[in-house]
Amino acid sequence: MSKFIIITGGVVSSLGKGISGASIGKLLQLHGLKVNMIKCDPYINVDPGTMSPYQHGEVFVTTDGAEADLDLGHYERFLDVEMTKANTNTAGSIYQTVIDKERRGEYLGATVQVIPHITNEIKKRFCAFEKDFDVSIIEIGGTVGDIESLPFLEAARQLIQEKGPENVINIHVTLIPYIAVAQELKTKPSQHSVNKLRELGIQPSMLICRTEKPLSVGLRNKLSLFCSVPTTHVIECADAKSIYEVPRNFYKQQLDKRVLELLHLKPKHKVDEKWFKFFDKALHPTKMVKIAIAGKYSELQDAYKSVNEALRHAGMNNNAKVQITYINTEKDDVVAKLKEVDGVLIPGGFGTRGIEGKIETVRYAREHKLPFLGICVGMQCAVIEAARNLCGLKKANSTEFDPKTKYPVVDLTPQQKNVVYKGGTMRLGNYTADLKKGSLAHKLYGKTHIVERHRHRYELNPDYVKQLEKVGLLVTGWHEGVLPEIVERKDHPYFIAGQFHPEFGSRPQRPHPLFDGLVKASLKHQKK
Ligand code: GLN
């Protein structure tokens, strides 16, 4: 039977509950336990796939095609466990399941209510990994006190009652704000949020305190007294230079030991500290490389979370700090900004805004032999650029940006043309691709058959492949021989783009080959 850790958040959002949860999971994993993680988001959207990055940041895609919260990315990168649809739940998806069941008449005449029907469905989802994992860590999004999260917290309360406090615990992540004028850290907001939890019938077993300044013994005692948590279970979580330092910070405070005690769990073996040491190297890089991300959300780093991480992983692998510059392709002078960098990446994107700047980015990278990696819309822009500037197909475009274009070099498949519902209907999740022998793609991956995650509606129009190849834009990856997956140029040190999202598969210790290739090529470009 699995043990459960329910992670809640207090005072404000954006406290890094995801990273705290993933760090706890990592520590338990280092003790040899099998750990999985579940995210619960209290909003009504069935999934975040229809939300703007301004609302939600990046949409993370699982191998089985769920569009999910970006915390699932942290979970994958920390635990190296592949997330699935069962790892992500929203209030919308839970209500949808319950309402569908009601329409099928499965409640046999009952009045369908939040308690027990919604809470039962939530508990069922909390227990999705009960059989196969030693510990399930469940993160409840939002802040305690929000109306939306109440059913999730009620389900957590019930789970604690049903399975017992030795099997289910709550860890509350909270903020200890620093008041500069008074030069004091304040515990009151945390006291209030713990009181709120208690009103709902949940007593946290541990507090993780986000703070800018170290917590004094006095402060720990105060939190302990007011929140009914032993001082040893008041954990400081200071801002770290790298998110991968958080597990070690917790380890130093014996968080893992306390959690094992609380849950009556025995470690399978001694903690293997190699994992911590791996990241020390990352703190002292010997090289620096500047890479631009050319997209629409330059001011919103969360929009490109996995891309940033993938660049960092590739940097670590090459002993280099990757300095990321954001280019806003709608507003910035693209060429001026590109002159300052050693390589450029165009991440995924939707809609017309900023597209012309991305096409200009491709042209510059191609002409100036600047290392270039295109992701999804980045590949589509590479195709449009070649069609317009090399094939002479004036105003060639994707039908996403110009539905009436004379040269639809990127277009919807007939299947996508019939789509009415926008949610969950893109080409999502894992698809295979076969790579051409001897291509750059083949060299980078070291194999000819790959599987990558997708999230898009439009495709390179196969009718134009011949023309594109004639001008040097080679299609070197195909899905089942019908859908182009990778394009690259031979006359360029590093010009490659994929219809998929390689960033989701990158791991700290296993950087994705396309990102690794970009960093290596950018370091070489710098030397010139
Ligand atoms: N907007 C493009 C499409 O739907 C690309 C999507 C993406 O970059 N993820 O095909």
Side-chain angles (χ1 to χ4, degrees):
M1 192 188 74
S2 187
K3 304 276 183 170
F4 297 86
I5 301 173
I6 314 273
I7 310 268
T8 50
V11 185
V12 291
S13 57
S14 303
L15 283 179
K17 285 196 297 287
I19 294 188
S20 290
S23 300
I24 296 169
K26 186 73 222 176
L27 289 179
L28 296 177
Q29 211 183 41
L30 293 177
H31 281 285
L33 296 163
K34 275 187 82 187
V35 183
N36 210 334
M37 314 237 358
I38 294 174
K39 178 77 200 269
C40 297
D41 281 300
Y43 48 72
I44 305 295
N45 302 60
V46 173
D47 62 45
T50 52
M51 277 192 235
S52 142
Y54 286 116
Q55 296 285 316
H56 193 272
E58 159 187 293
V59 172
F60 187 81
V61 183
T62 62
T63 52
D64 64 346
E67 295 173 274
D69 187 77
L70 56 80
D71 275 330
L72 266 74
H74 295 309
Y75 304 164
E76 281 209 8
R77 291 186 282 270
F78 274 72
L79 301 186
D80 207 358
V81 170
E82 256 178 25
M83 296 289 117
T84 62
K85 288 183 177 158
N87 295 80
T88 169
N89 301 294
T90 68
S93 73
I94 286 156
Y95 274 83
Q96 195 178 44
T97 304
V98 172
I99 291 170
D100 283 350
K101 232 167 144 181
E102 185 274 333
R103 293 288 82 185
R104 288 197 300 270
E106 287 179 31
Y107 291 111
L108 305 173
T111 305
V112 180
Q113 293 178 299
V114 173
I115 306 172
H117 302 99
I118 294 293
T119 47
N120 281 352
E121 179 61 28
I122 296 175
K123 278 189 288 179
K124 198 168 131 200
R125 297 189 186 202
F126 280 176
C127 297
F129 302 107
E130 196 173 21
K131 281 204 203 92
D132 304 320
F133 288 83
D134 300 315
V135 184
S136 300
I137 301 181
I138 299 155
E139 183 193 338
I140 299 179
T143 310
V144 170
D146 296 346
I147 290 176
E148 280 94 342
S149 53
L150 284 175
F152 289 98
L153 295 170
E154 168 58 16
R157 185 196 66 78
Q158 292 175 16
L159 196 75
I160 297 170
Q161 199 206 6
E162 284 164 23
K163 296 195 182 276
E166 69 285 3
N167 292 315
V168 190
I169 58 166
N170 165 234
I171 298 182
H172 190 55
V173 183
T174 184
L175 176 73
I176 313 291
Y178 179 69
I179 308 296
V181 276
Q183 297 192 349
E184 243 185 290
L185 287 169
K186 292 293 186 187
T187 62
K188 189 77 83 193
S190 298
Q191 295 176 33
H192 280 306
S193 81
V194 170
N195 276 343
K196 199 83 214 163
L197 265 176
R198 287 204 197 121
E199 275 172 29
L200 300 171
I202 298 174
Q203 167 63 48
S205 301
M206 181 178 276
L207 297 180
I208 292 183
C209 304
R210 290 301 311 272
T211 169
E212 286 171 48
K213 308 267 175 201
L215 293 184
S216 65
V217 175
L219 220 80
R220 283 176 196 255
N221 288 339
K222 195 169 171 186
L223 280 162
S224 157
L225 181 67
F226 282 94
C227 305
S228 290
V229 170
T231 41
T232 45
H233 294 52
V234 176
I235 306 292
E236 176 186 299
C237 184
D239 298 339
K241 260 199 202 141
S242 146
I243 52 172
Y244 301 108
E245 277 183 60
V246 178
R248 174 146 52 183
N249 290 348
F250 287 175
Y251 182 62
K252 281 185 190 153
Q253 299 177 71
Q254 297 192 313
L255 175 147
D256 49 322
K257 201 171 151 210
R258 307 292 170 216
V259 170
L260 293 171
E261 285 163 5
L262 285 165
L263 288 172
H264 301 254
L265 273 169
K266 283 209 176 64
K268 300 261 159 75
H269 52 65
K270 258 183 77 185
V271 166
D272 181 356
E273 295 192 1
K274 256 199 299 218
W275 195 84
F276 303 132
K277 291 196 181 116
F278 172 79
F279 291 101
D280 286 344
K281 213 175 70 180
L283 294 176
H284 309 286
T286 52
K287 293 170 259 179
M288 213 270 287
V289 65
K290 283 191 205 165
I291 294 183
I293 296 182
K296 256 192 308 202
Y297 302 103
S298 48
E299 73 288 9
L300 192 76
Q301 298 207 6
D302 266 4
Y304 304 121
K305 197 82 175 180
S306 294
V307 170
N308 292 342
E309 286 303 307
L311 282 171
R312 242 167 245 148
H313 303 159
M316 283 194 257
N317 195 43
N318 290 282
N319 258 318
K321 177 178 167 48
V322 179
Q323 196 186 321
I324 299 171
T325 333
Y326 295 92
I327 301 182
N328 184 326
T329 54
E330 195 188 5
K331 297 179 185 147
D332 290 339
D333 178 347
V334 168
V335 169
K337 288 227 164 178
L338 286 172
K339 281 184 183 155
E340 304 296 317
V341 297
D342 309 311
V344 62
L345 179 156
I346 299 184
F350 294 83
T352 316
R353 271 196 309 117
I355 285 300
E356 290 304 318
K358 289 181 192 173
I359 296 168
E360 184 61 8
T361 300
V362 177
R363 187 191 59 78
Y364 183 94
R366 177 176 57 77
E367 290 179 352
H368 295 81
K369 309 261 187 248
L370 185 69
F372 165 77
L373 171 60
I375 296 178
C376 208
V377 90
M379 163 168 147
Q380 297 172 356
C381 289
V383 168
I384 298 168
E385 194 277 332
R388 286 187 193 173
N389 300 332
L390 299 173
C391 302
L393 304 175
K394 239 172 132 192
K395 294 196 181 160
N397 217 329
S398 161
T399 49
E400 179 180 7
F401 316 129
D402 177 5
K404 294 204 177 98
T405 177
K406 196 167 162 202
Y407 305 111
V409 290
V410 177
D411 197 8
L412 292 174
T413 53
Q415 189 196 6
Q416 279 291 340
K417 279 184 186 151
N418 294 324
V419 163
V420 181
Y421 269 46
K422 290 279 184 250
T425 54
M426 281 189 251
R427 185 172 179 233
L428 289 168
N430 270 0
Y431 286 91
T432 57
D434 296 302
L435 310 181
K436 262 212 183 100
K437 274 204 184 120
S439 62
L440 173 62
H442 176 203
K443 237 185 277 161
L444 290 165
Y445 278 96
K447 54 186 173 188
T448 53
H449 187 74
I450 60 165
V451 183
E452 290 281 6
R453 299 181 209 193
H454 292 66
R455 180 174 182 248
H456 60 108
R457 279 187 211 286
Y458 294 80
E459 306 280 350
L460 196 176
N461 185 342
D463 295 348
Y464 290 91
V465 168
K466 259 202 189 125
Q467 280 184 77
L468 291 165
E469 292 208 318
K470 245 190 223 155
V471 296
L473 192 70
L474 310 173
V475 178
T476 56
W478 286 87
H479 171 64
E480 295 183 349
V482 284
L483 292 177
E485 291 279 348
I486 297 187
V487 298
E488 61 182 75
R489 299 198 67 88
K490 262 212 182 100
D491 57 358
H492 193 286
Y494 194 82
F495 187 107
I496 189 158
Q499 189 52 76
F500 46 84
H501 288 270
E503 68 271 28
F504 299 135
S506 177
R507 299 283 180 272
Q509 273 134 322
R510 267 195 332 277
H512 191 282
L514 295 186
F515 281 86
D516 193 52
L518 177 67
V519 167
K520 284 195 165 76
S522 302
L523 282 164
K524 250 194 215 155
H525 181 85
Q526 188 178 46
K527 281 196 198 124
K528 277 187 194 159

